[in-house]
Amino acid sequence: MAFGNVPNPLPCALRIAPKSAGVHIFSNFDSGNIEVVRDGITRVELAIRKDAGEDHYQWFHFAVAGREPKTLAITNAAGASYTGGWKDYRACASHDREHWFRVPTRYQNGVLEIDHAPKADLTWYAYFAPYSYERHQRLIGEAQQAEGVSYECLGETVDGRPLDMLAVGEGETPLWIIARQHPGESMAEWLVEGLLERLLDESDGLSRTLRKEARFYIVPNMNPDGASRGHLRNNAAGANLNREWAEPSVARSPEVFHTLAAMDRLGLRFCLDVHGDEALPYNFIAGSFGVADLSPKLVELHDRYCLRLEEACPDFQREHGYPRAAPGKANMKMATNQLAGRFQALAMTLEQPFKDSHLPRPEGWSPERCKTLGRAQLDALQAVMTEL
């Protein structure tokens, strides 16, 4: 993060087994998820735990202590929520939890296999570069100290965590950025970090202008419980938050209940809901076209936003994405559709890949590329601000 010089947290102290003892695998840490099924001489069989609610799993995050080469085989990959996500996928690995790189991975016969041939005594593996709860807290703590930024706890999650919101700017137009309704889509919060860095950069003229024209309400992590538990899509009560917006409840989906109440209180003319897509190797935006009686002006603003975003960040594209729903066929349980209809506002869902964009690089889609796309959102916002 660029707002301060807080040092990165060190990994928890670990008792590393001697190299002759083979490897040890564990995931009892923030966002960790894996179980050892069978440990063989050259192959370790693993399984991903299901989310609360028992209807989703795909996110994994675990550590391997030891340098002995082995194949790490996730044997229940065929039952994951989005098996199309395994095609052409490469797992992420790190030796310090700060710098992540891709490693050889293959999906065959219903098993996801990762080649473990590390160059360090301790290696972390994850579905995508994790965005830890510690980093989330530092993001909130550093941002709130910037001039013109205020913090509000919207309420408590199922597990009793604060639902954090940052308010930025002195203008009257209320703009919302929400991210990580699906906790395993950690690229969403990486994008928000990049957006915040630019928005709070006093040397950036566009940022200063937007802060004068608008009031930003930013919820970097809508689902901190699911993120900490190592879930893919659900919160601690087993709810998929992006299917709760029609009738949220304090018992099942307090994260949505409190956020929607704040939107009603503060107003909303724009909302960007940031996600990740397991299967599609593209950055794209899905609109609220299926909402009944959607204003043609909002459709035009959607298209204008996407065009400007593509110009500002070539990793974004407009050709590939989800098909547009027919008018009146929108799922009003989803945030984008509910907010577009409720407020007659420009509401969109931004999807990022777990794999790579249409402009591939060796590191695949990465935290830094997420942040670059986050910064470009301000260029796209400028293109529609006068109409909001």
Side-chain angles (χ1 to χ4, degrees):
M1 283 168 273
F3 343 119
N5 296 312
V6 179
N8 293 319
L10 293 174
C12 297
L14 299 170
R15 186 182 299 277
I16 305 300
K19 295 182 177 63
S20 60
V23 301
H24 295 263
I25 296 176
F26 46 91
S27 62
N28 189 19
F29 46 72
D30 177 43
S31 82
N33 185 333
I34 209 67
E35 293 178 350
V36 177
V37 176
R38 181 181 295 108
D39 188 359
I41 297 175
T42 60
R43 177 184 177 90
V44 181
E45 295 185 357
L46 307 167
I48 304 172
R49 295 190 303 271
K50 291 184 177 181
D51 291 7
E54 297 289 308
D55 56 347
H56 284 291
Y57 71 88
Q58 191 143 356
W59 171 266
F60 60 85
H61 182 199
F62 59 92
V64 179
R67 295 197 182 209
E68 183 177 325
K70 287 196 178 189
T71 297
L72 307 172
I74 299 177
T75 57
N76 64 343
S81 298
Y82 304 99
T83 54
W86 301 135
K87 184 178 184 296
D88 300 325
Y89 168 76
R90 292 178 297 150
C92 299
S94 176
H95 297 311
D96 59 6
R97 299 196 307 171
E98 187 69 19
H99 305 94
W100 292 83
F101 52 92
R102 301 283 179 157
V103 292
T105 309
R106 57 192 169 273
Y107 180 63
Q108 55 188 15
N109 301 320
V111 178
L112 187 75
E113 297 181 334
I114 303 168
D115 289 329
H116 172 70
K119 298 180 179 179
D121 292 329
L122 182 61
T123 308
W124 283 266
Y125 296 94
Y127 188 28
F128 191 80
Y131 199 100
S132 70
Y133 192 59
E134 173 62 29
R135 190 177 187 103
H136 167 84
Q137 291 178 303
R138 288 194 290 120
L139 177 74
I140 297 295
E142 292 179 27
Q144 73 157 350
Q145 298 178 69
E147 184 177 355
V149 179
S150 61
Y151 166 85
E152 182 178 342
C153 174
L154 298 180
E156 292 188 7
T157 66
V158 175
D159 283 342
R161 290 182 175 86
L163 186 60
D164 300 317
M165 183 186 77
L166 296 166
V168 184
E170 57 199 60
E172 296 183 356
T173 305
L175 311 179
W176 286 79
I177 312 289
I178 65 174
R180 218 168 171 188
Q181 289 200 73
H182 297 148
E185 298 165 10
S186 56
M187 61 281 294
E189 195 160 5
W190 285 111
L191 182 145
V192 170
E193 182 178 307
L195 184 152
L196 268 171
E197 285 179 348
R198 185 179 184 191
L199 186 62
L200 301 180
D201 183 357
E202 290 296 335
S203 68
D204 191 302
L206 174 57
S207 297
R208 294 198 306 273
T209 299
L210 289 174
R211 294 201 308 270
K212 289 180 180 179
E213 296 176 347
R215 182 75 165 165
F216 289 80
Y217 299 104
I218 301 172
V219 184
N221 188 346
M222 285 283 297
N223 197 340
D225 293 351
S228 293
R229 286 168 171 244
H231 289 179
L232 175 72
R233 285 177 78 81
N234 293 354
N235 72 353
N240 176 349
L241 295 185
N242 204 28
R243 300 298 183 272
E244 295 286 316
W245 286 80
E247 296 181 285
S249 70
V250 173
R252 176 173 168 81
S253 49
E255 301 89 351
V256 175
F257 181 91
H258 295 307
T259 301
L260 188 56
M263 291 171 169
D264 286 336
R265 168 169 54 91
L266 298 167
L268 184 149
R269 297 305 308 143
F270 169 90
C271 182
L272 187 68
D273 181 16
V274 189
H275 285 259
D277 185 277
E278 289 79 3
L280 296 178
Y282 307 106
N283 288 289
F284 61 95
I285 281 180
S288 50
F289 306 106
V291 174
D293 301 321
L294 186 71
S295 164
K297 186 63 177 178
L298 293 177
V299 175
E300 191 274 328
L301 290 177
H302 170 277
D303 292 341
R304 192 191 305 177
Y305 188 99
C306 292
L307 175 61
R308 184 66 188 98
L309 184 56
E310 186 178 50
E311 293 171 346
C313 182
D315 264 321
F316 179 81
Q317 54 80 53
R318 295 177 295 146
E319 180 180 356
H320 303 279
Y322 302 146
R324 294 191 176 190
K329 299 297 183 181
N331 183 349
M332 300 304 288
K333 297 179 180 180
M334 299 174 66
T336 289
N337 296 328
Q338 178 64 215
L339 298 175
R342 190 184 192 100
F343 295 97
Q344 278 299 300
L346 179 60
M348 303 176 292
T349 303
L350 172 62
E351 299 281 357
Q352 298 174 83
F354 279 81
K355 303 173 186 178
D356 207 341
S357 79
H358 65 295
L359 300 176
R361 289 184 51 83
E363 70 272 21
W365 194 242
S366 67
E368 280 305 320
R369 297 172 77 187
C370 296
K371 292 172 67 173
T372 297
L373 182 57
R375 297 181 187 104
Q377 302 306 313
L378 301 189
D379 296 286
L381 264 173
Q382 182 191 36
V384 300
M385 264 303 300
T386 57
E387 307 286 345
L388 294 178

